[in-house]
Amino acid sequence: MIVCDEKLGVCSVVEVDLKDELELEQPTLFYIGDPMCSWCYGMSDILKDTQEYCAKNGIKFQTIVAGLRASGQVLWDKRFKGFLKHEWTNISNKTGKKFSFEILDLLNFDYDTTPACKAVLIAKILSSNNSKIVLEFFSKIQEKFYANSQDTKKLEFYKEICEDLSLDFEEFSKLFEDKSLDKKLQNEFIFGRNLSSSFPSLILVNKKQKVNIKKREKIKQIGNINPRNGNKKPKWKKKKKKKNLS
């Protein structure tokens, strides 16, 4: 069950045992995020490189949407808009990613991330879960929302994205309006949030071993887990402590 904080617009779920869900045939790197998570947008270029690295090294890459602000419910007031402006400015300064602030001028806006997450789920279905296409779809949503202030809740938002990635927009439209997919989306939210409670996160799973790839660790080190290593735990390189010369 997903529970949402109406003031923060952030959702959480009751933890479940992932033992069976993590019975995987090959090492898998799960990217847990939300198309309308600003730090996910800030890391988008790194994530594309990571997906390519996985494809070349026998590691499955899976994008999991976790519903940052599922069903909206966040109060679109001066305080929240000020928070977003500060965060977006900070991320832009640190990553060089372009942000448009036009959307913050709107008197009313429902910051519901569910439609964008559902769109990514549909992209998985239409592409037979092609990891490169799914991540590219995810990234294009981010570009249109953050850099161009377009509304992810509108069906037409996704038409150009589908065309760019050769996905059938007519079929996409049917699925976007299909309420029967909502349960599957909720299950993905629960799965993602039980893998990690923060976004963006990279969780590497091999033989039911779960490793959280932290910022201080090089993404390349995921290569330490590959089909040839079996049950071996990855050997993370320790950073040498710098001597304080001041």
Side-chain angles (χ1 to χ4, degrees):
M1 177 180 176
I2 294 183
V3 180
C4 296
D5 185 313
E6 294 186 10
K7 291 183 179 179
L8 299 177
V10 177
C11 302
S12 59
V13 299
V14 178
E15 289 193 4
V16 296
D17 187 1
L18 295 179
K19 185 177 175 183
D20 294 334
E21 286 85 346
L22 296 183
E23 185 73 51
L24 305 171
E25 294 180 0
Q26 70 181 99
T28 301
L29 184 66
F30 291 99
Y31 162 44
I32 299 95
D34 189 297
M36 294 171 73
C37 151
S38 49
W39 269 112
C40 298
Y41 173 52
M43 287 184 62
S44 57
D45 293 335
I46 294 173
L47 290 162
K48 287 179 182 178
D49 290 341
T50 303
Q51 186 277 325
E52 290 177 4
Y53 178 86
C54 287
K56 293 175 182 177
N57 289 274
I59 301 168
K60 187 175 181 180
F61 185 93
Q62 271 279 58
T63 298
I64 303 294
V65 290
L68 176 63
R69 293 185 174 88
S71 301
Q73 299 181 338
V74 61
L75 185 61
W76 187 254
D77 59 3
K78 185 177 180 180
R79 177 175 171 272
F80 183 63
K81 289 192 280 186
F83 163 75
L84 290 179
K85 186 173 183 179
H86 178 269
E87 280 294 293
W88 294 358
T89 301
N90 179 43
I91 294 167
S92 181
N93 289 338
K94 288 186 175 181
T95 67
K97 300 297 287 185
K98 177 187 173 184
F99 281 83
S100 166
F101 298 93
E102 288 181 19
I103 203 165
L104 301 181
D105 294 329
L106 296 177
L107 184 62
N108 295 299
F109 182 73
D110 183 8
Y111 206 107
D112 182 4
T113 71
T114 303
C117 289
K118 185 174 183 178
V120 174
L121 177 63
I122 296 169
K124 289 184 183 184
I125 295 170
L126 297 182
S127 69
S128 299
N129 205 10
N130 181 302
S131 63
K132 185 172 184 178
I133 292 176
V134 172
L135 186 62
E136 189 63 31
F137 191 97
F138 190 105
S139 298
K140 285 180 178 293
I141 292 175
Q142 294 173 314
E143 288 286 343
K144 292 190 74 172
F145 176 68
Y146 285 112
N148 296 292
S149 289
Q150 295 188 39
D151 192 349
T152 60
K153 298 186 296 298
K154 297 179 179 179
L155 177 60
E156 285 299 309
F157 176 98
Y158 303 99
K159 185 175 182 180
E160 185 180 358
I161 299 177
C162 286
E163 291 172 349
D164 288 346
L165 298 175
S166 299
L167 299 177
D168 188 332
F169 182 66
E170 185 176 345
E171 189 62 28
F172 177 93
S173 301
K174 293 176 183 176
L175 292 172
F176 193 72
E177 302 296 340
D178 187 352
K179 299 296 182 184
S180 67
L181 270 185
D182 294 352
K183 177 63 176 176
K184 187 172 184 177
L185 181 62
Q186 292 292 313
N187 288 338
E188 182 153 331
F189 286 169
I190 292 170
F191 179 74
R193 285 180 171 275
N194 278 284
L195 277 175
S196 177
S197 60
S198 62
F199 320 138
S201 287
L202 288 172
I203 306 295
L204 182 63
V205 176
N206 186 43
K207 301 294 182 181
K208 296 188 182 180
Q209 293 179 352
K210 190 173 77 169
V211 180
N212 192 338
I213 309 295
K214 301 187 189 313
K215 290 180 182 179
R216 66 178 180 273
E217 295 161 343
K218 293 180 180 179
I219 295 297
K220 270 189 190 179
Q221 292 172 341
I222 61 175
N224 285 320
I225 283 189
N226 58 52
R228 290 180 300 229
N229 284 346
N231 288 319
K232 290 182 182 179
K233 201 171 182 179
K235 296 178 181 179
W236 305 105
K237 294 180 181 178
K238 293 183 179 179
K239 280 191 172 183
K240 292 182 180 178
K241 292 184 178 180
K242 293 183 180 179
K243 293 181 179 179
N244 190 348
L245 301 178
S246 58

